[in-house]
Amino acid sequence: LLGSVAPRRLPCTLVATTRTCELWALPGTIVLPGATGLPVWGFGTSVAGPALVPGPVIRANAGETLEIVLHNEIPGQEVSLAFPGHEGTIPDMAGVPAGGLTTYTFGVPAAGTFLYEAGLTSGGGRQVAMGLVGPLIVDAVPAPTDPEVVLVLSQIDPSLNINPANFDMNDYRPKYWLINGQAYPDTGWIDVVDGTTVLMRYLNLGTDHHTLGLL
């Protein structure tokens, strides 16, 4: 299987049934075949970065309350968060300005594989295309014991990343298709023992639809 570099996990603190996670929106760069140092906006685990594409895995247990503290360090951008598939979150249309922070609190009653992404500000769609998106996993209790693989599919149009402020999103045409932030031929392998049952979590975080084939 291609895509061996698993997304990093976001450190969180659990008190009673409330899990608090601090997430940073950051500018950064990514290395792709033929495009070293391509600018991105990504989520990170600290103000020191790096900006990760995809963002780190936010992980909780079913029945908990998630408290996500968003720090925005992207100059000139108001950034909010959206959590598709979860009720009880009020859409944040304003976001937090650069240098600020805000907190999102909601329950995660059901296990499953979800995502989080830049929210419904005026620049939210552009921010998602720049890399502000990541996986949100809610584990059943007790959690599965099978080996697990998280595969996050996304895409990049370098023309947007080079000039995000002035790029016309109507001209968005991806040139790179990524698995866990890597593009072919830089994707690696996932090694498992013959006969092993593997829990595969598969998220498509781009605008194009893709399917996976297992051989």
Side-chain angles (χ1 to χ4, degrees):
L1 295 176
L2 294 174
S4 63
V5 178
R8 190 178 303 181
R9 182 168 177 172
L10 183 67
C12 300
T13 302
L14 180 64
V15 177
T17 59
T18 298
R19 191 176 298 269
T20 302
C21 314
E22 296 199 59
L23 185 70
W24 277 260
L26 303 165
T29 59
I30 192 172
V31 176
L32 297 173
T36 301
L38 185 69
V40 295
W41 297 338
F43 290 114
T45 60
S46 75
V47 68
L52 300 172
V53 178
V57 176
I58 298 176
R59 194 146 201 158
N61 293 326
E64 292 180 347
T65 296
L66 266 178
E67 186 177 71
I68 309 297
V69 182
L70 173 65
H71 304 258
N72 178 20
E73 298 295 332
I74 301 178
Q77 295 292 311
E78 288 76 35
V79 179
S80 70
L81 286 179
F83 305 90
H86 286 94
E87 299 179 356
T89 57
I90 299 173
D92 182 357
M93 311 289 286
V96 58
L101 62 86
T102 192
T103 301
Y104 301 87
T105 304
F106 58 99
V108 287
T113 304
F114 306 94
L115 62 92
Y116 64 93
E117 61 185 356
L120 300 178
T121 64
S122 60
R126 185 180 305 268
Q127 293 164 3
V128 169
M130 284 290 294
L132 288 177
V133 63
L136 167 59
I137 295 174
V138 181
D139 286 310
V141 180
T145 57
D146 294 321
E148 179 184 281
V149 173
V150 179
L151 294 178
V152 180
L153 306 189
S154 59
Q155 57 201 35
I156 284 181
D157 180 347
S159 298
L160 165 64
N161 293 68
I162 292 169
N163 187 20
N166 299 311
F167 183 80
D168 185 345
M169 292 301 293
N170 292 316
D171 297 329
Y172 184 71
R173 302 291 187 275
K175 303 296 190 301
Y176 292 94
W177 289 265
L178 312 182
I179 303 176
N180 291 350
Q182 295 181 317
Y184 182 83
D186 294 340
T187 46
W189 291 88
I190 299 167
D191 294 320
V192 294
V193 176
D194 183 29
T196 301
T197 298
V198 178
L199 170 59
M200 180 178 293
R201 299 187 185 269
Y202 158 46
L203 300 97
N204 179 18
L205 306 187
T207 58
D208 291 347
H209 296 287
H210 300 284
T211 58
L212 288 180
L214 302 180
L215 305 179

